[in-house]
Amino acid sequence: PISIRVILNTVLIISLFAASLGNVYLSSLPEKVDKNYPVEATEWIKLNHPQGKLFNSYNWGGYLLWTLPEYPVFIDGRADLYGNELLAQWQDVINARENAEAILDDWRVNIIFVEPYWDIVPVLKDKGWTVAYEDAMSIILIRP
């Protein structure tokens, strides 16, 4: 005979799976994407085709992989695949540490696509990087 524990576990697993599918569906609705991701900034890139390598927000890496496949991302939510060294470099850049510019130079980054509140933004503006696009959610800086 099937025990009550097996039945409850099966129901629990099916419920969790259904909830996960529902969450994926809801988060993929256009109004959710528009609210949580830099859709307009991404459109700017598609229209203007800035040249060079991209340094991006960790939060948008997966979205950018999907919407801008011609621009390889610096990092995305799969940080374990990139390793601790790359994640540390990303943090050094975003927090405008001493080695930030050297990291950008080493990776030959020409495009910064991040949230406008990060410490690196005013530093790069002072160094002559051009604000190519900016809104409340995102900023795109281009190397001079």
Side-chain angles (χ1 to χ4, degrees), residues 43-56:
E43 287 302 315
W44 183 91
I45 288 179
K46 287 178 181 179
L47 290 172
N48 293 280
H49 308 288
Q51 298 298 306
K53 293 186 178 181
L54 180 71
F55 180 91
N56 60 282

Side-chain angles (χ1 to χ4, degrees), residues 4 15 18 26-27 32 34-35 61-63 71 73 77 84 88 91 98 101 112 115 120-122 124 129 142:
I4 196 81
S15 298
L26 289 175
S27 65
K32 293 287 187 182
D34 290 354
K35 181 180 174 190
Y63 171 76
Y71 289 91
V73 298
N84 291 336
Q91 290 173 331
E98 273 184 36
E101 289 180 77
I112 305 290
E115 294 88 342
I120 193 64
V121 171
L124 293 179
W129 287 60
I142 305 293

Side-chain angles (χ1 to χ4, degrees), residues 45-83:
I45 288 179
K46 287 178 181 179
L47 290 172
N48 293 280
H49 308 288
Q51 298 298 306
K53 293 186 178 181
L54 180 71
F55 180 91
N56 60 282
S57 168
Y58 178 87
N59 299 323
W60 304 331
Y63 171 76
L64 295 175
L65 281 170
W66 175 57
T67 58
L68 295 172
E70 62 275 19
Y71 289 91
V73 298
F74 188 85
I75 199 162
D76 62 54
R78 304 168 299 167
D80 55 325
L81 295 178
Y82 293 97

Side-chain angles (χ1 to χ4, degrees), residues 2 6 9-10 19-20 22 25 27 29 31 50 62 72 81 88 97 139 141:
I2 298 177
V6 171
N9 284 341
T10 303
S20 295
Y25 169 75
S27 65
L29 293 174
E31 59 272 11
L81 295 178
R97 295 196 179 113
I139 189 166
L141 298 164

Side-chain angles (χ1 to χ4, degrees), residues 4-20:
I4 196 81
R5 182 179 298 168
V6 171
I7 293 170
L8 288 175
N9 284 341
T10 303
V11 168
L12 179 63
I13 289 170
I14 291 170
S15 298
L16 289 172
F17 181 72
S20 295

